[in-house]
Amino acid sequence: SVERILDPRLRDRIVSAEQAAAFIQPGETVAMSGFTGSGYPKAVPLALAQRIEQVHEQGLPFQIKLLTGASTAPELDGALAKADGIAMRMPFQSDPDARKRINEGKLDYIDIHLSHVAQHVWFGFYGDIDTAVIEVSAIREDGALVPSTSVGNNKTWLDLAKKVIIEVNEWQPEGIEGMHDIYYGTALPPHRKPIPLIHANDRIGQTTLNVDPDKIVAVVRTNGPDRNSPFKPIDDESKLIAGHLIEFFKHEIGKGRLPPNLLPLQSGVGNIPNAVLAGLAESGLRGLTSFTEVIQDGMLDLLKSGVLEYASCTGFALSPEANETFKRDIAFYRERIIMRTQEISNHPELVRRLGCIGMNGMLEVDLYGNVNSTHVMGSRIMNGIGGSGDFTRNGFLSTFLSPSTAKNGAISSIVPMVSHVDHTEHDVAIIVTEQGLADLRGLPPRARARVVIDNCAHPDFRDQLNDYFDRACRDSYGKHTPHLLPEALSWHQRYIDTGSMKA
Ligand code: 0RQ
């Protein structure tokens, strides 16, 4: 294979993962690459987890604060969580072992908007970054770093970290070089300027990441795949949800409120978004574009078929099969995908300017349109808010997609009051379940409750919701957004007590 570490200054810093991990000390804030299972370091975190376990066996403390782009993989979040090596984690994560410790109250997790991460670290809200551990696909002669399958916050980590460990992953396709667009024009207030991006496929930066070579303490060679989430066949509920949403898009085109090729799409990951993307492939719509954070299988298919012209993202979440296609056809995808830092892929200014259409999952929504995406029964974290808030607040349209029930029908996704709020009623426009679609735009609160119950609630819970709403309209302290406070969260308590929300 072709040599990927071309900067002669770094040749004598090529070491094993164990040697590299030894540079990380207890108590450090460590910033790593990785976004939804792509482009995360594959070897150093595992070696670090082993070292932490050895130190723990001697009865000594060893934990780090861990920052990333978004979720990573078992070799990173999983291994470090299992070793009890993480004191604090920020932002988005979805690892089962980490989730367990977070919900046991043993691991502090700070869940913030993905567009906020880089700037909050620049503002100094998280203290110093001691070490950055960044996966790249190559190091050029001049020391410039060719990013791999995610960009995330890597620019910020490389700029701010006191010491840098680079993993060069030869599994990543060489042809990825040129796909990235790293914008170095961000400044801190009060010196900020408009970001010169007008179209989702504009290039405003450079293709490589800068790093001060003197800060690089170790370079590690790796050769391993990104976390591949197996592709699940699209289920019937997801197909129904996708169908309602696409019908709505066509209705909006008909009304002249959306152009015939829609507006740049943002799509969450999972079965339902995949069903929407598959539905778009057969919708007859053409010339679509995407300004999103994650690209999953369905998006590659849309690019291949020409339905989608181009996509902008910061990371990938692909199945093993899609990963092979991506690597094989990298020359094709490099012309149609632009990978950006997550402060740009999710930037409120850009999401607002482009008029993105946000499509995200949710756990539950209440009668008035407040959405809970993160906390089961108000207290148990599932994943995190991720980028959903960046697109929901700032986009042209925000849509939330979910089955109307969970846990075999024991839980209603439509509740009187959400047990945790991620997206407020002021930001949420469209709710879609397999039952139908509620268009909340321009509706006052009581009218919203009507369409949410009538169009989205499962028939098993409709009477119960109507009963609550009717009594709230009669007995509520205020009649603007009627609620019965002692009852508003009683459905959640009933589930905790009895295993079902049914009265
Ligand atoms: O749990 O697998 O244990 O049964 O939640 O639910 O229906 O499989 O849906 O995978 O799309 O996830 C909101 C979590 C939905 C996701 C959420 C249980 C359900 C199941 C998963 P089990 P489904 P999805 C782009 C944007 C926030 C981040 C985001 C998410 C599990 O979409 O994390 O949008 N979103 N990022 O049983 C209790 C309810 C429930 C419930 C579902 N009402 N009560 N449990 N579940 N509804 C990506 C990034 O930003 C990086």
Side-chain angles (χ1 to χ4, degrees):
S1 65
V2 182
E3 176 58 48
R4 303 257 188 130
I5 304 168
L6 297 177
D7 184 340
R9 292 170 294 184
L10 298 176
R11 289 273 161 76
D12 61 352
R13 279 174 251 175
I14 302 173
V15 295
S16 69
E18 290 70 28
Q19 288 169 303
F23 284 102
I24 298 170
Q25 301 309 319
E28 283 197 357
T29 296
V30 182
M32 297 202 188
S33 62
F35 198 101
T36 55
S38 60
Y40 58 91
K42 311 287 187 288
V44 175
L46 273 176
L48 176 63
Q50 274 168 13
R51 193 167 137 238
I52 289 174
E53 277 170 359
Q54 285 159 8
V55 172
H56 286 173
E57 276 162 23
Q58 294 160 16
L60 297 169
F62 193 158
Q63 287 193 315
I64 59 164
K65 293 180 181 164
L66 175 63
L67 316 183
T68 61
S71 54
T72 61
E75 306 101 287
L76 200 170
D77 271 309
L80 287 168
K82 275 192 204 154
D84 283 320
I86 311 174
M88 187 279 277
R89 178 75 175 84
M90 194 275 284
F92 192 82
Q93 74 81 39
S94 64
D95 182 82
D97 290 302
R99 179 188 297 138
K100 185 166 170 285
R101 282 169 174 76
I102 294 166
N103 284 319
E104 287 168 354
K106 293 178 184 159
L107 196 171
D108 284 334
Y109 174 43
I110 304 177
D111 180 28
I112 70 172
H113 297 297
L114 292 183
S115 75
H116 281 173
V117 180
Q119 68 161 2
H120 284 183
V121 175
W122 279 104
F123 295 165
F125 297 173
Y126 291 87
D128 291 346
I129 306 292
D130 298 295
T131 307
V133 185
I134 309 292
E135 178 183 281
V136 302
S137 67
I139 306 177
R140 294 209 306 221
E141 274 111 9
D142 61 358
L145 305 175
V146 180
S148 76
T149 38
S150 70
V151 182
N153 294 308
N154 293 352
K155 168 190 161 290
T156 294
W157 302 158
L158 290 164
D159 282 351
L160 290 177
K162 294 178 204 159
K163 51 185 190 287
V164 171
I165 297 169
I166 301 290
E167 285 195 6
V168 181
N169 186 355
E170 298 193 351
W171 179 87
Q172 300 288 8
E174 259 180 277
I176 203 168
E177 184 165 357
M179 192 182 244
H180 309 90
D181 186 62
I182 315 295
Y183 182 61
Y184 275 91
T186 52
L188 299 186
H191 305 293
R192 282 192 169 154
K193 300 210 169 74
I195 296 167
L197 185 145
I198 310 292
H199 308 101
N201 65 341
D202 283 349
R203 285 190 167 274
I204 57 173
Q206 57 187 61
T207 57
T208 52
L209 287 158
N210 301 337
V211 62
D212 171 1
D214 291 340
K215 293 203 300 192
I216 299 181
V217 293
V219 179
V220 177
R221 291 185 201 272
T222 63
N223 191 338
D226 279 330
R227 178 194 83 195
N228 292 319
S229 350
F231 183 79
K232 288 190 213 144
I234 296 166
D235 59 58
D236 292 342
E237 250 178 7
S238 300
K239 274 188 203 153
L240 283 171
I241 292 170
H244 298 315
L245 185 64
I246 291 168
E247 190 188 316
F248 167 77
F249 286 157
K250 289 185 172 170
H251 176 260
E252 290 299 295
I253 294 170
K255 289 275 180 200
R257 285 191 287 254
L258 276 174
N261 64 339
L262 302 178
L263 285 164
L265 301 169
Q266 176 259 342
S267 162
V269 286
N271 202 349
I272 297 172
N274 242 335
V276 173
L277 298 172
L280 285 169
E282 293 159 13
S283 66
L285 299 175
R286 285 288 175 276
L288 306 185
T289 62
S290 173
F291 193 79
T292 192
E293 42 201 335
V294 199
I295 288 187
Q296 62 173 343
D297 290 26
M299 199 77 92
L300 292 190
D301 296 341
L302 283 180
L303 285 167
K304 252 294 149 63
S305 62
V307 172
L308 185 69
E309 282 190 4
Y310 52 80
S312 163
C313 71
T314 191
F316 289 90
L318 300 177
S319 69
E321 306 84 69
N323 234 318
E324 286 312 312
T325 317
F326 174 72
K327 285 175 70 170
R328 194 189 59 224
D329 300 335
I330 187 74
F332 173 88
Y333 291 117
R334 195 181 47 219
E335 302 305 313
R336 290 162 181 82
I337 296 174
I338 299 181
M339 300 187 69
R340 310 179 188 279
T341 60
Q342 79 191 52
E343 61 186 330
I344 297 297
S345 69
N346 286 38
H347 202 294
E349 174 189 335
L350 305 179
V351 173
R352 176 74 69 96
R353 180 178 300 143
L354 295 169
C356 292
I357 298 175
M359 303 186 288
N360 291 292
M362 61 174 180
L363 295 174
E364 59 179 7
V365 60
D366 69 22
L367 298 179
Y368 303 109
N370 299 288
V371 164
N372 172 10
S373 303
T374 57
H375 286 77
V376 173
M377 305 303 138
S379 58
R380 206 178 275 185
I381 190 85
M382 181 58 80
N383 302 314
I385 192 167
S388 54
D390 297 321
F391 290 89
T392 297
R393 167 71 53 90
N394 303 299
F396 178 88
L397 257 185
S398 64
T399 71
F400 281 93
L401 322 174
S402 167
S404 65
T405 61
K407 301 289 171 203
N408 292 318
I411 293 176
S412 175
S413 311
I414 318 292
V415 288
M417 182 184 265
V418 283
S419 56
H420 173 94
V421 192
D422 293 294
H423 310 287
T424 75
E425 52 163 326
H426 314 285
D427 301 328
V428 175
I430 308 290
I431 300 292
V432 194
T433 68
E434 80 289 349
Q435 302 293 325
L437 180 146
D439 180 357
L440 308 184
R441 294 172 302 169
L443 297 185
R446 282 173 297 168
R448 271 185 250 159
R450 249 325 11 114
V451 298
V452 169
I453 297 173
D454 291 348
N455 298 5
C456 294
H458 193 277
D460 287 357
F461 287 102
R462 227 171 260 168
D463 288 348
Q464 219 176 299
L465 285 165
N466 276 321
D467 173 56
Y468 175 87
F469 182 58
D470 291 344
R471 285 184 296 113
C473 286
R474 193 185 64 210
D475 300 335
S476 177
Y477 178 65
K479 300 288 189 283
H480 177 247
T481 304
H483 265 307
L484 303 171
L485 295 183
E487 247 186 74
L489 296 171
S490 63
W491 294 33
H492 300 84
Q493 191 58 47
R494 192 180 304 124
Y495 174 76
I496 293 170
D497 294 339
T498 70
S500 171
M501 280 188 174
K502 286 184 187 140

